[in-house]
Amino acid sequence: FAGAGTTLLVPGAEGQWAWAGLGPREGLTRAGFAEAIAKGFAALREAGAARLALSLPEGLPWAQGPSARYAGEALWMAAYAFERYRTRAKPRPGPEIELVAADAAAAATGLEQAAHVGRAIALARDLINEPAAVAHTEHLIEQARQVAARAGAQCRVIAGDELARQGYGAIH
């Protein structure tokens, strides 16, 4: 096993096992951790895994809550697929994921935060992946209004000459 950035998929009696290399703990970064989680998830999904149990190791540079959040964000991003315009006989579901952590309450809070971030990133990626004929100005405004409504916030649209009056000359 080569270490940081590598993934090892091993068949076991009760299913596939994936080990994702983190490298030395003193050199572990949030990005490196997320990459390892995402690679392990991708390897198991590609192998057809129906269930994934992710254990947060002791000794990470972060407490259990932030570690769970970073792992959750990585899983959300790794699981993303823009398939709105694809036709398939049957969608391929991802594996059911269970996070194993010493501090279950902190991990649950971290995963809840990750879900908010993951949904926001998925929306941004969906908007980016939409063709220009769909993601026109009115569509983007409607999406912003929907996000604001779900969050209990207000959405104010600045358009036309009002952009220049408020100093947004670069996009006026």
Side-chain angles (χ1 to χ4, degrees):
F1 196 60
T6 61
T7 304
L8 178 64
L9 190 61
V10 178
E14 297 182 26
Q16 300 281 346
W17 287 85
W19 279 272
L22 299 176
R25 289 183 182 178
E26 60 274 0
L28 184 60
T29 64
R30 181 177 174 178
F33 179 66
E35 182 180 355
I37 297 292
K39 284 183 175 182
F41 172 82
L44 286 170
R45 183 172 62 181
E46 191 64 32
R51 188 164 182 273
L52 166 65
L54 173 63
S55 177
L56 291 178
E58 293 293 325
L60 289 172
W62 318 281
Q64 293 275 291
S67 294
R69 177 182 173 174
Y70 304 154
E73 289 173 3
L75 291 166
W76 270 89
M77 288 187 272
Y80 175 83
F82 184 74
E83 297 183 339
R84 183 163 294 141
Y85 303 109
R86 294 186 187 208
T87 56
R88 287 190 183 171
K90 187 161 122 180
R92 185 177 81 176
E96 175 186 318
I97 301 169
E98 176 186 3
L99 184 72
V100 180
D103 186 344
T109 299
L111 288 176
E112 183 179 332
Q113 293 167 344
H116 291 297
V117 172
R119 281 192 286 277
I121 291 171
L123 173 61
R125 291 170 89 178
D126 282 350
L127 293 173
I128 289 166
N129 285 315
E130 286 286 1
V134 173
H136 50 78
T137 304
E138 290 305 316
H139 175 77
L140 296 175
I141 290 170
E142 180 55 30
Q143 293 298 308
R145 286 184 172 136
Q146 288 177 18
V147 168
R150 284 192 301 270
Q154 294 181 350
C155 177
R156 184 169 62 105
V157 177
I158 303 169
D161 292 338
E162 187 62 24
L163 287 165
R165 282 192 288 280
Q166 292 197 27
Y168 299 105
I171 59 173
H172 175 255

